[in-house]
């Protein structure tokens, strides 16, 4: 019996020791204490002050259709609800009440005891239930830290987003919740806004070939008292005129027949290359223009005096722009993928379709324009042909006397042939890059290392610039690879 009593005493002592150790551990480490769901139970209300004065109201936030449990220090006798349509209080026992959110809004609830003393007061703010939206934002945007809170009948988005697309997507999710964009306050900060550099290459090669051959005959034939004059001057209608009006070979047969040979051939190649580069922040527009303006006379403005005399006439002009222009708006969708709206134009002054008129024979040139505008989606560093054109135009015209021009061999004397062939190949390439700023030392200018030639070199050798990039000279030494420098033909 003594051995059993001793064992029971030892077990009781060990239980008390373990209980004391557990209590001590919970007291020293609050993280080990049990967690009470604050969404369903509020902390016990503080007791009323000794002098019976009114206590400060506590703030409670509820979702629509959600409830919270209130434990009070004394028995409840009466409850005051300011607006039962927003929130309601249900007393289930002498010291416990349930507060239920009904609709979006604000109200207050006050509890009283049997003596009419205030036990507790609560300011209730009933908001939308945003727990589902918070989970949707975390699932859809895992790389962003976005919070959503209710503000009246709307919501407010705060926090940070990884990209502008994430911020826009969060705003669309909130808009579907509240039913309209006017009820969403988007205060999301984008952690790092991407910058996009657009490289556009406009390359065009135009080849033209013109061949003209014609024979003009002039004859004066006398038959007694009858004089017959014959004149055949064939035009070149395909090219709207001869290439050179004075390029003639004239042969006279006797004193009455004159033959004039007009022949000319022209071949030309035109190469156009433009490579405008421009950088803009994602979501913003950027514009680049390089060119000029030329004047076009539009009329004459004169001043009229009080006596009706016209004088002081001034020629009025307007200016037309030409050159290279680039306008684009990039939006970085995901990592390395870009939605791009781009418009590029290359224009130049041309003598084709020019207008000549006026008393002084003023010639107004035309403008030859290549323009492309589109919206596309492309990865960073990828290229796309935004516009491509291959044009082959052939014009041929034969002019001559009816009947005689159709004769084989001999018909050549009575006709002219005009042949025009134009071939144009145009390509516009677009390449966007997601870029970051670099240090100035990592950049180079087109005139790095350039030095003017000295007077003896310019006068005796005809040099326009000295050799540069060689150590030991006044220019800084650089490790260039391949062909470099300014090339002067």
């Amino acid at each position: 019996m003594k051995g059993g009593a001793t064992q029971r005493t030892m077990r009781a002592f060990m239980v008390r020791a373990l209980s004391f150790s557990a209590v001590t551990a919970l007291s020293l480490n609050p993280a080990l204490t049990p967690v009470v769901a604050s969404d369903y139970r509020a902390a016990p209300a503080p007791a009323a002050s000794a002098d019976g004065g009114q206590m400060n109201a506590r703030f409670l936030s509820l979702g629509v259709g959600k409830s919270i449990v209130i434990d009070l220090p004394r028995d409840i006798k009466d409850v005051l609800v300011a607006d039962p349509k927003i929130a309601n209080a249900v007393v289930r026992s002498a010291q416990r009440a349930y507060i239920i959110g009904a609709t979006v809004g604000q109200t207050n609830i006050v509890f009283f005891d049997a003596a009419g003393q205030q036990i507790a007061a609560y300011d209730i703010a009933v908001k939308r239930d945003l727990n589902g939206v918070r989970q949707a934002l975390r699932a859809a945007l895992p790389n962003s830290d976005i919070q959503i809170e209710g503000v009246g009948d709307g919501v407010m988005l705060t926090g940070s987003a990884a990209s502008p697309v994430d911020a826009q997507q969060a705003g669309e999710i909130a808009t579907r919740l509240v039913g309209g964009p006017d009820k969403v306050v988007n205060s999301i900060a984008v952690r790092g806004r991407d910058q996009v550099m657009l490289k556009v290459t406009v390359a065009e090669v135009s080849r033209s070939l013109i061949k003209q051959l014609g024979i003009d005959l002039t004859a004066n034939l006398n038959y007694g008292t009858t004089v017959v004059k014959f004149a055949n001057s064939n035009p070149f209608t395909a090219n709207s005129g001869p290439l050179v009006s004075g390029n003639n070979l004239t042969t006279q047969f006797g004193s009455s027949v004159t033959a004039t040979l007009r022949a000319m051939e022209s071949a030309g190649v035109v190469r156009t290359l433009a490579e405008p580069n421009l950088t803009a922040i994602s979501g913003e527009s950027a514009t680049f223009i390089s060119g000029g303006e030329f004047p076009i006379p539009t009329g004459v403005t004169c001043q009229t005096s009080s006596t009706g005399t016209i004088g002081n006439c001034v020629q009025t002009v307007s200016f037309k722009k030409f050159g290279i222009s680039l306008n684009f708006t990039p939006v970085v969708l995901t990592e390395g993928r870009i939605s791009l709206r781009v418009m590029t134009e290359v224009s130049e002054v041309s003598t084709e379709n020019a207008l000549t008129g006026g008393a002084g024979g003023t010639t107004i040139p035309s403008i030859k324009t290549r323009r492309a505008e589109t919206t596309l989606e492309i990865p960073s560093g990828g290229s796309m042909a935004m516009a491509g054109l291959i044009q082959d135009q052939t014009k041929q015209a034969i002019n001559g006397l009816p009947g005689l021009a159709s004769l084989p061999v001999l018909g050549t004397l009575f006709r002219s042939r005009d042949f025009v062939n134009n071939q144009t190949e145009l390509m516009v390439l677009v390449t966007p890059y997601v870029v970051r700023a670099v240090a100035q030392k990592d950049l180079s200018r087109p005139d790095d290392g350039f030095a003017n030639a000295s007077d003896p070199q310019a006068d005796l050798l005809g040099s326009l610039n000295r050799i540069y990039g060689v150590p030991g000279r006044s220019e800084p030494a650089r490790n260039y690879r391949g062909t470099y420098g300014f090339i002067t033909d």
Side-chain angles (χ1 to χ4, degrees):
M1 293 297 293
K2 292 181 178 180
T6 303
Q7 292 180 357
R8 286 194 296 271
T9 303
M10 291 297 294
R11 284 198 297 269
F13 175 77
M14 293 177 64
V15 170
R16 287 194 296 270
L18 291 175
S19 300
F20 177 75
S21 299
V23 172
T24 304
L26 292 176
S27 301
L28 295 177
N29 190 357
L32 299 177
T33 58
V35 179
V36 179
S38 59
D39 290 343
Y40 300 96
R41 181 182 298 273
S49 57
D51 56 359
Q54 189 173 3
M55 298 178 303
N56 294 329
R58 295 183 58 188
F59 176 78
L60 288 181
S61 179
L62 287 177
V64 177
K66 297 293 184 177
S67 62
I68 193 170
V69 180
I70 302 297
D71 290 327
L72 299 171
R74 300 195 304 274
D75 293 346
I76 305 171
K77 180 62 177 178
D78 194 9
V79 180
L80 173 62
V81 180
D83 192 349
K85 295 181 180 180
I86 296 177
N88 199 3
V90 179
V91 178
R92 302 299 299 176
S93 64
Q95 296 184 4
R96 174 170 293 183
Y98 303 153
I99 298 178
I100 304 172
T103 184
V104 176
Q106 293 184 353
T107 185
N108 64 332
I109 298 176
V110 184
F111 296 94
F112 300 93
D113 58 9
Q117 298 295 325
Q118 177 180 325
I119 302 175
Y122 294 93
D123 287 336
I124 309 298
V126 181
K127 304 177 182 179
R128 297 178 181 270
D129 185 11
L130 304 176
N131 291 331
V133 181
R134 292 189 182 98
Q135 294 179 2
L137 290 175
R138 286 193 295 266
L141 310 172
N143 298 326
S144 300
D145 183 16
I146 299 175
Q147 293 82 35
I148 182 171
E149 298 294 338
V151 180
D153 59 346
V155 295
M156 181 175 63
L157 297 173
T158 58
S160 60
S163 65
V165 178
D166 288 358
Q168 181 180 0
Q169 187 175 357
E172 293 176 355
I173 294 175
T175 300
R176 290 182 177 272
L177 171 68
V178 298
D182 55 334
K183 297 182 180 180
V184 178
V185 179
N186 195 337
S187 299
I188 300 175
V190 180
R191 289 197 293 266
R193 302 190 67 181
D194 295 318
Q195 296 186 100
V196 178
M197 184 191 75
L198 183 65
K199 179 180 180 181
V200 178
T201 301
V202 181
E204 180 186 20
V205 176
S206 178
R207 295 177 291 271
S208 62
L209 176 63
I210 302 176
K211 296 181 180 180
Q212 294 179 340
L213 176 63
I215 297 178
D216 298 338
L217 293 178
T218 303
N220 292 324
L221 302 177
N222 297 323
Y223 296 98
T225 59
T226 303
V227 178
V228 178
K229 293 184 178 181
F230 174 80
N232 178 33
S233 179
N234 296 313
F236 297 103
T237 58
N239 192 53
S240 302
L243 289 174
V244 180
S245 59
N247 183 36
N248 302 324
L249 177 62
T250 302
T251 302
Q252 188 170 0
F253 301 93
S255 59
S256 58
V257 179
T258 302
T260 302
L261 175 64
R262 295 190 297 171
M264 177 61 68
E265 181 175 346
S266 174
V269 176
V270 177
R271 176 178 180 267
T272 303
L273 178 65
E275 291 184 319
N277 295 342
L278 197 59
T279 303
I281 298 176
S282 176
E284 302 293 336
S285 299
T287 302
F288 169 83
I289 298 177
S290 176
E293 297 180 350
F294 65 92
I296 295 179
T298 57
V300 178
T301 302
C302 299
Q303 295 180 357
T304 304
S305 63
S306 58
T307 59
T309 305
I310 299 176
N312 297 329
C313 295
V314 178
Q315 178 76 48
T316 59
V317 297
S318 63
F319 292 88
K320 297 295 183 181
K321 296 181 180 180
F322 67 94
I324 302 171
S325 66
L326 172 63
N327 179 278
F328 80 107
T329 304
V331 176
V332 180
L333 301 177
T334 57
E335 188 66 26
R337 195 146 192 93
I338 304 169
S339 174
L340 195 65
R341 179 174 180 83
V342 58
M343 191 281 290
T344 181
E345 177 180 319
V346 177
S347 59
E348 60 182 339
V349 179
S350 175
T351 57
E352 298 180 4
N353 302 321
L355 179 63
T356 302
T362 304
T363 300
I364 302 176
S366 62
I367 299 179
K368 186 178 180 181
T369 304
R370 281 83 74 199
R371 181 187 298 112
E373 182 176 0
T374 185
T375 300
L376 49 89
E377 184 175 332
I378 188 172
S380 176
S383 297
M384 184 175 293
M386 190 175 64
L389 172 66
I390 298 178
Q391 182 180 359
D392 192 348
Q393 183 185 53
T394 301
K395 295 188 296 183
Q396 188 171 191
I398 295 179
N399 300 279
L401 290 176
L404 297 178
S406 301
L407 295 176
V409 182
L410 293 179
T412 307
L413 300 175
F414 303 95
R415 66 173 179 256
S416 64
R417 176 176 176 265
D418 196 7
F419 176 81
V420 178
N421 178 250
N422 292 321
Q423 295 178 342
T424 301
E425 184 172 354
L426 170 67
M427 179 170 288
V428 180
L429 300 178
V430 177
T431 307
Y433 298 93
V434 178
V435 296
R436 293 185 300 271
V438 299
Q440 185 179 3
K441 62 182 181 64
D442 297 331
L443 301 176
S444 60
R445 305 192 314 268
D447 61 339
D448 284 345
F450 176 80
N452 293 321
S454 61
D455 291 341
Q457 288 178 326
D459 296 336
L460 301 179
L461 302 179
S463 299
L464 297 179
N465 56 271
R466 288 183 290 171
I467 300 175
Y468 58 91
V470 179
R473 294 181 177 266
S474 59
E475 307 84 7
R478 297 178 181 268
N479 295 324
Y480 291 102
R481 293 183 180 180
T483 304
Y484 60 91
F486 290 85
I487 299 175
T488 305
D489 294 334

